[in-house]
Amino acid sequence: MNREHPLVVQVLVEGADSSALGGGDVTGYEVVEPRAESLVESLRAFGYATETAVADLVDNSITAKATTVDVRLHWAGNESWIAIVDDGLGMDGERLREAMRPGTTSPSTPRTASDLGRFGLGLKTASFSQCRRLVVMSATTPSSLAARTWDLDHVVRVGSWQLLTKLTSEDRALWDELHGDQPGTVVLWRQLDRLVVSPDPQNEQAESHFYTIADRVATHLGMIFHRYVTGPGKITIRVNGRNIAPWDPFLESHETTQVVTDESLLYRGELISVKSFVLPHVSRLTSQEHISTGGRRGWASQQGFYVYRNRRLIVSGSWLGLGFRREELTSLARIRLDLPNHMDSDWQIDVRKSVARAPGALVPELRRIAEVVRLRSANVYRHRGKVLQRASQGDVVQAWLQVVRGTRIAYRVNRQHPLVAALLTTAGDGEVEAMVRLLEETVPVPLIILNHADGPGRQAAPFEETAPDTVRSVLTDVVRAMRRAGTSGKEVVGRLLTMEPFSDFPDLVREVCTRELGQEMA
């Protein structure tokens, strides 16, 4: 065939063009490699906080079957470093080289059930976000040690993805100090340009700032891996030598926590476990329980779904875009959702493992579960209100009453309260009534609402942390005032036992009445 014939030439050229656009075998192309010096800086901008970056590396340690993970933060000004040390399986030189490759494994590649990775980027992007020099040292046997280093300044300088293979004497000394001759891995961050605010190791303010990062890391790891550090097969995770405290967002061990639903949803032939809880009302919690369960963001922000992937927390306290708002009445509603790791794509889990979105097919079922647990949470709050309402009808005498005036709500002192009635009876000049009206008209409702929103568990209970002698003294004055108003001894006892807040102190009521009334109690 004459390939120089004009028609033949035209056909061959058109065929080559269509091939280049995907229409058959490719006969012409260009390789456009990313510029190393540009891309390496872009890889630093994935939005990791230090604690989320460390959590990504702990994922790798758990995947490597580590039983102990030590996170070390060492302050030395510009020479400060952070290390994640584990006793896992370790890596030889070839596996370490692949682990250091950006994009080690495709997200679509099947993984073992225990693998907490996905994109093959976590080690690199998490580390680059915090440091300019990443050193990984690993051993599979006591006598072996492999090491590789990404030095971003070197990559920028040479304009090439040159992974350094030579281990410095300082890094080798750190391996010996942190790990010794046992199998495992040390991930070392040096040149912490985004964490070290002063190059001077004697700068106390900079040092203090650096070590506050350790506290954040410990708190975050306690939240993310709380199911790994408790229960059967648990692992140990330490930050600067101290075991992290697991944070259970569901308060499962509390006697008044309610399990609302416990079911499995079928999705693509597999079951997804969903368990919903209503936490105890704040009045049923100790101060420490309330603070710890509220987490760093506070109670109102912790309501919603908690999405786990292989028991590792991915999303905490989110309604997953299902159209629900965070409200005070629903702040006790929390839902645990367990995913297998091969559903990452369906749930749109991002590189940082901090975002998830529910597949459309599951939205109706998730909404149903959310509506049930939100309603139950609201009922817990309303139940407390109903108790007060019943109390005003005779069970317990309230000092304050709610009064509705058209569309307005006001609060009035209960003039049928025995102590108030006694004072109004014995005071004939109207000053007590004027004082009561002044109190009613100046109730600081906006301030109370603001303080409750900031911390619903901060409001003190009646006579909380008050010495018994002080309560005893107040009770004595009340008993004497009621007797001056002509209330019989027996009636005084009965009224005090149903009078807020003395109804919470029955033993003190009987003690004071016995002393003040004696035979009149009979």
Side-chain angles (χ1 to χ4, degrees):
M1 179 185 295
N2 182 3
R3 285 173 169 76
E4 295 182 359
H5 188 285
L7 182 58
V8 174
V9 170
Q10 180 181 351
V11 170
L12 290 175
V13 170
E14 290 177 351
D17 290 342
S18 64
S19 296
L21 296 174
D25 294 336
V26 175
T27 59
Y29 60 87
E30 293 179 329
V31 175
V32 184
E33 295 182 348
R35 294 183 181 275
E37 64 273 24
S38 300
L39 182 58
V40 76
E41 297 293 348
S42 299
L43 290 176
R44 307 194 75 200
F46 270 68
Y48 283 94
T50 305
E51 54 269 30
T52 56
V54 171
D56 238 8
L57 302 193
V58 174
D59 285 340
N60 296 338
S61 297
I62 293 174
T63 300
K65 303 187 183 304
T67 60
T68 301
V69 182
D70 275 305
V71 180
R72 305 284 187 91
L73 293 90
H74 175 75
W75 167 257
N78 263 353
E79 300 302 316
S80 301
W81 51 263
I82 296 176
I84 294 85
V85 185
D86 72 51
D87 62 354
L89 299 176
M91 294 174 282
D92 59 21
E94 180 62 25
R95 289 190 61 198
L96 177 55
R97 184 176 70 86
E98 284 304 303
M100 296 291 269
R101 182 195 301 274
T104 309
T105 308
S106 168
S108 61
T109 300
R111 299 175 183 269
T112 63
S114 60
D115 192 342
L116 295 182
R118 182 193 174 195
F119 292 94
L121 286 171
L123 169 63
K124 285 73 65 174
T125 56
S127 300
F128 293 167
S129 72
Q130 307 299 310
C131 70
R132 296 197 66 83
R133 193 163 187 269
L134 165 64
V135 183
V136 180
M137 299 171 281
S138 192
T140 57
T141 65
S143 59
S144 67
L145 177 61
R148 296 290 188 275
T149 299
W150 277 121
D151 186 324
L152 302 192
D153 291 330
H154 176 78
V155 170
V156 170
R157 185 166 56 252
V158 301
S160 176
W161 293 99
Q162 292 186 4
L163 180 63
L164 305 182
T165 59
K166 186 177 180 180
L167 190 62
T168 67
S169 57
E170 293 86 354
D171 294 340
R172 174 61 201 236
L174 264 180
W175 167 266
D176 293 335
E177 174 188 339
L178 297 174
H179 210 290
D181 293 329
Q182 299 303 310
T185 300
V186 173
V187 177
L188 179 63
W189 293 346
R190 288 193 180 274
Q191 298 179 22
L192 305 170
D193 60 325
R194 295 181 173 177
L195 303 181
V196 173
V197 297
S198 170
D200 181 8
Q202 303 304 318
N203 187 319
E204 294 182 358
Q205 185 176 2
E207 180 180 8
S208 177
H209 168 77
F210 184 78
Y211 283 120
T212 59
I213 297 172
D215 295 333
R216 292 206 322 261
V217 168
T219 300
H220 186 73
L221 297 183
M223 176 179 72
I224 298 297
F225 299 104
H226 72 95
R227 294 170 74 182
Y228 278 90
V229 298
T230 58
K234 65 181 181 180
I235 66 174
T236 298
I237 302 177
R238 293 189 287 257
V239 176
N240 279 357
R242 299 181 61 181
N243 287 6
I244 63 171
W247 179 67
D248 175 13
F250 312 107
L251 269 182
E252 287 192 79
S253 61
H254 198 282
E255 60 182 2
T256 59
T257 294
Q258 302 177 41
V259 176
V260 180
T261 61
D262 188 359
E263 59 187 287
S264 295
L265 304 180
L266 184 64
Y267 179 72
R268 293 195 172 184
E270 291 198 63
L271 295 177
I272 297 174
S273 173
V274 185
K275 191 172 185 177
S276 62
F277 304 83
V278 170
L279 273 59
H281 189 274
V282 293
S283 63
R284 307 297 297 273
L285 301 175
T286 66
S287 297
Q288 184 56 42
E289 285 174 333
H290 181 264
I291 293 171
S292 63
T293 312
R296 200 171 67 187
R297 295 182 298 165
W299 272 69
S301 298
Q302 300 291 7
Q303 61 186 277
F305 286 91
Y306 287 70
V307 180
Y308 292 81
R309 174 175 169 272
N310 288 353
R311 298 187 297 142
R312 193 261 201 212
L313 183 59
I314 300 293
V315 173
S316 63
S318 168
W319 290 114
L320 300 179
L322 298 179
F324 298 112
R325 293 185 302 173
R326 288 192 175 102
E327 300 172 355
E328 184 68 25
L329 287 177
T330 59
S331 63
L332 306 180
R334 300 187 183 183
I335 305 168
R336 185 171 70 209
L337 198 155
D338 282 296
L339 305 179
N341 65 358
H342 57 269
M343 288 189 181
D344 288 3
S345 178
D346 299 278
W347 284 80
Q348 301 180 51
I349 295 175
D350 68 344
V351 173
R352 293 175 298 147
K353 287 173 274 198
S354 61
V355 174
R357 295 177 179 84
L362 287 176
V363 166
E365 287 297 293
L366 294 177
R367 284 188 58 85
R368 170 184 61 81
I369 294 171
E371 286 169 353
V372 170
V373 72
R374 283 169 61 89
L375 178 61
R376 187 73 66 86
S377 171
N379 286 341
V380 169
Y381 269 97
R382 293 192 180 105
H383 175 71
R384 185 171 171 80
K386 290 176 183 177
V387 170
L388 295 179
Q389 183 179 8
R390 288 197 301 271
S392 67
Q393 297 170 355
D395 292 343
V396 176
V397 179
Q398 303 293 309
W400 288 90
L401 298 176
Q402 177 178 293
V403 178
V404 179
R405 297 174 177 171
T407 60
R408 302 287 186 176
I409 295 176
Y411 299 93
R412 293 287 176 255
V413 173
N414 181 7
R415 284 162 176 73
Q416 303 305 312
H417 189 285
L419 180 58
V420 177
L423 288 174
L424 292 175
T425 299
T426 55
D429 54 8
E431 290 183 357
V432 174
E433 172 64 28
M435 181 191 69
V436 170
R437 284 304 307 273
L438 176 64
L439 293 175
E440 291 174 334
E441 298 301 332
T442 57
V443 177
V445 174
L447 182 60
I448 293 172
I449 293 174
L450 179 62
N451 289 336
H452 185 74
D454 287 342
R458 294 176 58 197
Q459 182 174 335
F463 290 123
E464 183 179 356
E465 299 182 0
T466 302
D469 284 347
T470 302
V471 182
R472 189 178 289 109
S473 176
V474 175
L475 262 171
T476 300
D477 291 339
V478 172
V479 170
R480 292 173 181 174
M482 293 174 70
R483 285 297 290 118
R484 286 196 300 270
T487 307
S488 69
K490 187 174 182 179
E491 191 176 1
V492 167
V493 178
R495 289 190 177 186
L496 286 174
L497 290 174
T498 58
M499 182 190 300
E500 187 187 40
F502 303 121
S503 55
D504 293 333
F505 303 90
D507 292 339
L508 274 180
V509 167
R510 293 186 178 91
E511 175 195 324
V512 171
C513 288
T514 298
R515 188 188 68 230
E516 293 293 318
L517 303 175
Q519 295 299 320
E520 294 184 49
M521 291 180 58

